[in-house]
Amino acid sequence: LDIIWIMDGSASISAPDWTSACNFVVNFTSACTMDPQDVEVGIVQFSSTARTEISLSSDKDSVINAAKHMIQMEQSTNQYVGFKEALKMIDMAGRTNTSGKVFIMVTDGNQNEGPDAKAAADASKAQGVDIFAIRVGSSVDRTRIDQWVSTPVDDHSFGV
């Protein structure tokens, strides 16, 4: 299983919510059985732009270290570039023999820059990626987020 976290590091995510989101990634990764033949995890952060924090890896300590030391970008919100960066990671480092490909977007859904993220989410799903969302923040656009996730929506979109 290839799992890529797509983390909303924009300014609309408060510092406490950012810390909670990063801690959630750490706890999730700690609970995973990671092995090159089993699970690999990567992390992308987006704001106005997107960057790979760590490419797909089966090294649990490296993934946890990356999640613990991410510095929030704190700019505008462009989920489109987050999806595109994750797709690029799947294309470059994803395994063809894996049991599945999963994106987990952690966001408030309040896109204020870039093309509509739905197009990038739909392109990801067309390539066989299962998309989940974890809604964070005090002002969440659930309607928008629910357009990006796989179906059934109630099994793929969660609030914290």
Side-chain angles (χ1 to χ4, degrees):
L1 186 63
D2 289 340
I3 302 170
I4 300 176
W5 290 92
I6 307 174
M7 307 291 291
D8 185 343
S10 69
S12 64
I13 304 296
S14 70
D17 286 335
W18 175 252
T19 300
S20 293
C22 291
N23 288 338
F24 187 84
V25 173
V26 167
N27 293 336
F28 179 94
T29 303
S30 296
C32 285
T33 301
M34 295 177 62
D35 181 281
Q37 306 307 315
D38 194 14
V39 175
E40 290 192 344
V41 176
I43 304 172
V44 167
Q45 181 186 172
F46 70 90
S47 190
S48 294
T49 59
R51 69 174 175 234
T52 295
E53 298 289 347
I54 186 167
S55 192
L56 285 166
S57 174
S58 60
D59 183 340
K60 185 183 288 195
D61 291 337
S62 293
V63 174
I64 289 170
N65 191 48
K68 282 183 176 178
H69 295 98
M70 277 192 294
I71 296 173
Q72 188 176 5
M73 296 167 114
E74 298 184 276
Q75 298 167 348
S76 296
T77 311
N78 185 351
Q79 284 89 349
Y80 180 88
V81 296
F83 279 121
K84 294 303 268 184
E85 186 74 9
L87 257 180
K88 185 170 94 178
M89 187 186 300
I90 285 288
D91 289 343
M92 295 176 67
R95 299 166 297 160
T96 56
N97 62 342
T98 185
S99 62
K101 299 171 182 151
V102 173
F103 291 171
I104 306 171
M105 179 170 275
V106 180
T107 185
D108 60 11
N110 293 309
Q111 184 174 357
N112 60 15
E113 185 175 313
D116 187 354
K118 185 177 182 318
D122 288 346
S124 302
K125 289 183 272 190
Q127 290 189 27
V129 176
D130 203 15
I131 301 175
F132 292 82
I134 299 174
R135 303 180 306 272
V136 297
S138 58
S139 178
V140 171
D141 187 342
R142 180 171 182 172
T143 301
R144 181 174 290 190
I145 293 169
D146 287 352
Q147 293 176 357
W148 302 333
V149 300
S150 299
T151 55
V153 170
D154 288 343
D155 292 343
H156 289 84
S157 181
F158 305 94
V160 293

